[in-house]
Amino acid sequence: MSLEGMAALVTGGSRGIGRAVCLELARQGAAVAVNYAGSIQAAEETVRQCRQLGVEAELFQADVASPAACDALVAAVKERFGRLDILVNNAGISRDGLLMTAKEEDFSKTLDTNLKGAYFCTKAAAKVMLRQKYGRIVSLSSVVGLRGNPGQTAYAASKAGILGLTKAAAKELAGRDITVNAVAPGYIATDMTAALPEKAREAMLTTIPKGRPGTPEEVARAVAFFAQRESAYVTGQVLCVDGGMAV
Ligand code: NAP
């Protein structure tokens, strides 16, 4: 299978899972638009590594929590590559805290980035994809969005919201060869999970039948499956990449 001739936009492509997705899509031949919020050096490194794989890659700064920024981002990618075949809604944050003590501003910031960001980008990308009569949209949800997790009400709500967005958009866009799917990782070794207290990480490990955290590359391969032209008949689905955590 190959993604040659395709153009992909990956939000939050500077680090972690997003960088691994950029590199996997590049390895399969796609031109890659690497979005980031603030980490320009890390994003430049992703671009450099994509280009080393022999594909076109470009840097695009944008805060996905802003609808205007998402519109401008998609327009800039379309301008640069002439098309947009694959959107990966990966950008995400976690602002954890117990229900009774967490601040409303952290809830809003989490929803704005994780859920509304995916909504804004999906909407902007769908306009291009509807005209093309082709598109593959993949969003990063989480096992926490399926199962919940104490101390993560905002994050869980945002990731459960991704599932609803995915299923509804899948039904709306299916007629134009646009698929919309989600990948739900469990515990993946990235900056996001490195920021958790060691006790929380140890507790999470005990819930994983595989007995280890996943790698960003393992998540990227699931994203790349949905991104294939040949995956045309798979839409509205959620694939857990979690070492058995959610079983
Ligand atoms: P990470 O290492 O913390 O990286 C987050 C990425 O999102 C960075 O590239 C960051 O850009 C970008 N980002 C954050 N806010 C943004 C904004 N407002 N606009 C644009 N980009 C923004 O996270 P990760 O662990 O790779 O997670 C990636 C995705 O997978 C997230 O949606 C996360 O919720 C999901 N996920 C992760 C795990 C896990 O165990 N790691 C599990 C389930 C789901 P900058 O570098 O510029 O800040």
Side-chain angles (χ1 to χ4, degrees):
M1 289 205 264
S2 160
L3 296 174
E4 261 166 52
M6 306 272 176
L9 165 59
V10 181
T11 67
S14 44
R15 297 182 280 125
I17 293 169
R19 174 183 283 176
V21 169
C22 289
L23 293 175
E24 182 61 31
L25 299 182
R27 201 168 289 121
Q28 298 194 21
V32 185
V34 179
N35 160 254
Y36 69 102
S39 310
I40 185 162
Q41 283 178 351
E44 280 172 347
E45 177 57 21
T46 305
V47 166
R48 192 189 66 76
Q49 290 186 26
C50 286
R51 287 180 182 160
Q52 266 190 344
L53 291 164
V55 299
E56 287 186 272
E58 212 70 67
L59 208 57
F60 295 88
Q61 194 285 330
D63 175 357
V64 298
S66 153
C70 292
D71 284 347
L73 171 64
V74 168
V77 173
K78 168 83 167 57
E79 169 86 22
R80 170 64 181 81
F81 295 114
R83 49 188 299 117
L84 176 58
D85 304 289
I86 301 161
L87 167 68
V88 182
N89 289 310
N90 165 81
I93 58 168
S94 71
R95 298 235 173 142
D96 300 341
L98 292 170
L99 174 65
M100 301 312 289
T101 50
K103 295 192 197 114
E104 188 196 335
E105 73 182 69
D106 285 336
F107 189 88
S108 295
K109 180 82 183 156
T110 305
L111 269 285
D112 286 352
T113 305
N114 297 5
L115 180 55
K116 287 170 80 176
Y119 165 71
F120 298 142
C121 288
T122 296
K123 200 169 170 181
K127 272 186 207 151
V128 177
M129 292 172 175
L130 282 166
R131 267 183 248 121
Q132 284 175 181
K133 297 193 176 62
Y134 182 83
R136 300 283 178 263
I137 298 171
V138 188
S139 299
L140 272 292
S141 177
S142 168
V143 163
V144 169
L146 290 161
R147 307 279 302 264
N149 198 30
Q152 290 199 302
T153 46
Y155 185 76
S158 72
K159 294 298 175 180
I162 289 280
L163 302 177
L165 171 66
T166 296
K167 291 174 191 185
K171 288 185 173 176
E172 281 191 30
L173 301 172
R176 297 279 187 104
D177 197 7
I178 301 168
T179 65
V180 191
N181 292 289
V183 172
Y187 168 16
I188 311 299
T190 67
D191 293 347
M192 185 179 275
T193 45
L196 294 170
E198 197 172 334
K199 269 194 175 166
R201 278 185 277 135
E202 276 168 15
M204 252 191 319
L205 272 181
T206 65
T207 68
I208 305 173
K210 283 290 281 184
R212 64 163 176 87
T215 66
E217 291 73 22
E218 286 172 316
V219 179
R221 280 191 282 275
V223 172
F225 164 74
F226 287 128
Q228 303 296 323
R229 181 177 289 278
E230 291 81 358
S231 299
Y233 207 58
V234 183
T235 197
Q237 298 303 304
V238 185
L239 179 54
C240 291
V241 181
D242 65 351
M245 201 178 188
V247 173

